[in-house]
Amino acid sequence: MQIYDSVKKTKVPFEPIVPRKASIYVCGPTVYDDAHLGHARSSLSFDLLARTLKALRYDVTMGKNFTDIDDKIIKKVQETGQSLEEITTHYIARYLEDMRALGVQESDIEPKATESLEAMESMIQGLIDKDIAYVVSSGDVYFDTSKDTNYGAISHQVGDDEDNQSRVEHTSEKRNPKDFALWKACHGDDDICFETAFSRGRPGWHIECSAMIEKHFEGNDEYSIDIHGGGADLLFPHHENEAAQSRCATGHELAKYWMHNGFVNIDGEKMSKSLGNSFFVKDALKVYDGEILRNYLISVHYRNDFNFNEEDLLNSKKRLDKLYRLKKRITPTGASKPNKTFQKAILEAMSDDLNISVALATIDAMVSEANDKLDVNPKDKGLKKETMANITFIAELLGFGGKEPFSYFQIGIDEETKAKIALLIEQRNEAKKSKDYAKSDAIRDEITAMGIALMDTADGVLWEKV
């Protein structure tokens, strides 16, 4: 397995700190609003990584946090009158629901910041005791970047811009402009605060992940985890600061490898009126099935920026349609084992830093070849079973192709319309039984006018959206 290390800026062999095990931690959302397409892109990128490592027979442990204490969340509390817990519980549930719809496998560890305050306090206190962190008169606690000789080694882009170091402005009592907040003291009547030995307040943004990783992952004497991931915007200052505070607190590096996914941009000129320029996953899911969105969002290499527009989405869907038409052609049938050459080619592509373009091209070739062979011998049971196994392998590795094919082609039809179609099919069957072919044809024409194609099969009448 080769992965692109953002620190080394090159592809490197993945050599885990514990043989045949892979520990991954991904920065999750700040839960004050619904998940957007950027959240989806990051989740899908590292879902692909975890699926690939599992397919390569690594024992994978995936962690993803929820930031459930933050200034943006507190602002939401003030605006809505709801409690912090009500807001964060709601948006965590919504996030998980959206990710499930996209086929993102649930993480093994999903810590919340508010459940990890003791671990944060312990790490901060340890840094204070070493004089690597310091408390100012306001009660804020800062990390002294001058004490870390390797500060800047992660991002290679350390600047003196104080605003770039934190989500809020801080006191001029900092020792160095680059110093960042580990803890922010509360003032006035602010009641969303937590008691510590150094002050009553809230954790800084960066300390959360470092403390949660130390709490939940075992690591070794060199590294806490194998892979730390997130969006490209987190490389600096977030991941740089995480690495620094962890390095100084533990005496070893936070992660052996750092991986980052590209941004998602919305091309408003190519978006439909139904979706508009919304960036929320929930709005996209109202228009498109989660598997169709997943197939589209993973179609561009994870490190590249993604330009989301409906025209490309529909072209991506046509590719998925071809896979399901093949699956429909071989249904019903059992599965044997995937074709070894096909399986090897897919795994080799995904082992090359998740080279999705080559993987998808390999799938296209398999679909085309299987259809050509079925044209010659449509009753080839061995071919059908192997092809079904190939599709099952695709579903496990890439997360699409796992639906029942006829239901896939019914996506987008509401329940009321489905009930109407079922009634019309029943009426058509009755007309055929009574040999009223004129009525039977009229009903078929009515169904066709609804944009539905009927197929009379040995298993009964099947239908799909045209």
Side-chain angles (χ1 to χ4, degrees):
M1 179 79 182
Q2 295 270 325
I3 58 175
Y4 185 90
D5 185 350
S6 302
V7 176
K8 295 184 174 66
K9 299 187 183 301
T10 188
K11 283 192 282 190
V12 296
F14 175 61
E15 298 172 348
I17 56 181
V18 178
R20 305 313 303 169
K21 290 190 175 184
S23 52
I24 307 168
Y25 181 93
V26 180
C27 288
T30 301
V31 285
Y32 68 97
D33 208 341
D34 286 300
H36 54 64
L37 293 171
H39 292 133
R41 182 88 194 286
S42 182
S43 288
L44 287 166
S45 296
F46 293 100
D47 181 65
L48 277 181
L49 174 65
R51 285 172 181 262
T52 299
L53 288 169
K54 288 174 184 176
L56 295 171
R57 299 185 181 179
Y58 285 89
D59 180 7
V60 178
T61 301
M62 170 71 85
K64 183 192 294 181
N65 73 301
F66 291 107
T67 296
D68 61 345
I69 177 68
D70 180 89
D71 292 338
K72 292 178 181 177
I73 300 172
I74 292 169
K75 184 180 179 183
K76 196 95 171 184
V77 169
Q78 295 167 344
E79 291 173 348
T80 64
Q82 293 179 294
S83 70
L84 181 87
E85 186 176 3
E86 285 174 329
I87 290 170
T88 58
T89 299
H90 170 75
Y91 286 116
I92 287 172
R94 289 286 302 124
Y95 174 88
L96 292 173
E97 182 181 342
D98 287 345
M99 294 309 109
R100 278 193 295 270
L102 295 173
V104 175
Q105 296 178 335
E106 201 163 315
S107 299
D108 303 292
I109 302 167
E110 293 181 337
K112 300 175 185 176
T114 54
E115 296 173 348
S116 309
L117 291 165
E118 188 176 335
M120 295 182 215
E121 181 179 1
S122 176
M123 181 172 278
I124 293 170
Q125 188 61 57
L127 290 167
I128 292 172
D129 293 343
K130 294 177 180 179
D131 193 34
I132 296 171
Y134 56 97
V135 186
V136 298
S137 61
S138 65
D140 292 350
V141 183
Y142 288 94
F143 180 89
D144 187 342
T145 54
S146 70
K147 298 294 180 70
D148 178 19
T149 56
N150 288 324
Y151 190 71
I154 299 298
S155 64
H156 309 294
Q157 60 182 66
V158 178
D160 291 330
D161 182 2
E162 182 175 342
D163 290 337
N164 201 29
Q165 282 283 16
S166 174
R167 295 182 174 186
V168 294
E169 292 187 8
H170 286 296
T171 177
S172 59
E173 292 184 76
K174 292 198 300 184
R175 295 175 182 173
N176 311 287
K178 300 172 188 174
D179 294 355
F180 57 89
L182 299 172
W183 189 261
K184 297 178 285 187
C186 287
H187 303 286
D189 58 359
D190 191 340
D191 60 353
I192 304 178
C193 301
F194 309 92
E195 294 291 345
T196 66
F198 25 88
S199 69
R200 178 173 173 269
R202 298 190 291 273
W205 178 32
H206 313 301
I207 194 67
E208 295 177 16
C209 293
S210 289
M212 287 189 272
I213 287 171
E214 293 308 313
K215 179 180 178 180
H216 294 284
F217 290 87
E218 187 173 346
N220 66 5
D221 293 337
E222 291 185 271
Y223 306 98
S224 299
I225 54 173
D226 290 307
I227 299 171
H228 196 328
D233 56 323
L234 299 182
L235 182 58
F236 183 84
H238 187 47
H239 287 169
E240 187 68 69
N241 292 348
E242 278 185 39
Q245 65 203 9
S246 290
R247 182 188 300 122
C248 293
T250 67
H252 59 246
E253 292 296 325
L254 180 57
K256 188 173 183 180
Y257 306 98
W258 296 78
M259 297 178 70
H260 295 85
N261 62 275
F263 300 112
V264 176
N265 302 310
I266 290 285
D267 187 343
E269 294 181 0
K270 294 185 179 180
M271 296 303 290
S272 69
K273 290 182 180 179
S274 59
L275 189 56
N277 289 332
S278 173
F279 210 53
F280 289 124
V281 175
K282 67 174 184 178
D283 292 327
L285 288 171
K286 290 175 185 175
V287 185
Y288 297 103
D289 178 75
E291 187 172 300
I292 292 170
L293 281 172
R294 178 191 179 91
N295 176 62
Y296 174 50
L297 286 167
I298 69 172
S299 64
V300 172
H301 191 267
Y302 79 93
R303 283 192 283 116
N304 295 337
D305 288 348
F306 191 100
N307 188 38
F308 191 105
N309 68 75
E310 191 163 60
E311 182 181 321
D312 289 346
L313 189 154
L314 293 174
N315 287 331
S316 175
K317 181 181 179 298
K318 290 177 183 177
R319 183 181 228 163
L320 188 58
D321 288 351
K322 289 179 181 179
L323 180 68
Y324 271 107
R325 291 203 181 281
L326 173 61
K327 190 173 184 180
K328 187 173 70 172
R329 192 173 182 182
I330 60 177
T331 299
T333 186
S336 55
K337 291 183 179 180
N339 179 279
K340 289 183 178 180
T341 301
F342 171 75
Q343 187 177 36
K344 181 182 178 184
I346 293 285
L347 284 175
E348 283 182 351
M350 296 303 290
S351 295
D352 180 16
D353 192 39
L354 309 182
N355 193 330
I356 192 67
S357 296
V358 172
L360 293 176
T362 303
I363 292 170
D364 289 345
M366 182 276 293
V367 170
S368 179
E369 183 179 348
N371 277 318
D372 288 345
K373 289 181 178 179
L374 287 169
D375 287 343
V376 175
N377 189 358
K379 295 183 179 181
D380 188 335
K381 290 184 179 179
L383 173 62
K384 288 183 177 182
K385 287 184 176 182
E386 182 182 83
T387 302
M388 186 63 79
N390 288 345
I391 296 173
T392 300
F393 172 70
I394 293 167
E396 291 172 352
L397 180 62
L398 302 181
F400 61 80
K403 293 182 185 292
E404 192 279 321
F406 285 94
S407 65
Y408 170 81
F409 288 106
Q410 294 175 8
I411 288 172
I413 303 295
D414 59 66
E415 294 304 316
E416 184 180 346
T417 305
K418 286 181 180 179
K420 182 179 180 181
I421 293 168
L423 179 61
L424 288 171
I425 289 173
E426 185 179 341
Q427 292 173 351
R428 177 173 174 265
N429 289 340
E430 290 298 322
K432 289 176 73 175
K433 283 182 183 178
S434 61
K435 298 185 178 180
D436 188 348
Y437 299 116
K439 183 178 181 180
S440 170
D441 290 344
I443 293 171
R444 175 185 274 275
D445 291 342
E446 183 180 352
I447 294 173
T448 300
M450 295 168 65
I452 303 299
L454 294 182
M455 289 145 284
D456 294 305
T457 74
D459 297 314
V461 180
L462 301 174
W463 64 272
E464 67 177 52
K465 181 182 176 183
V466 178

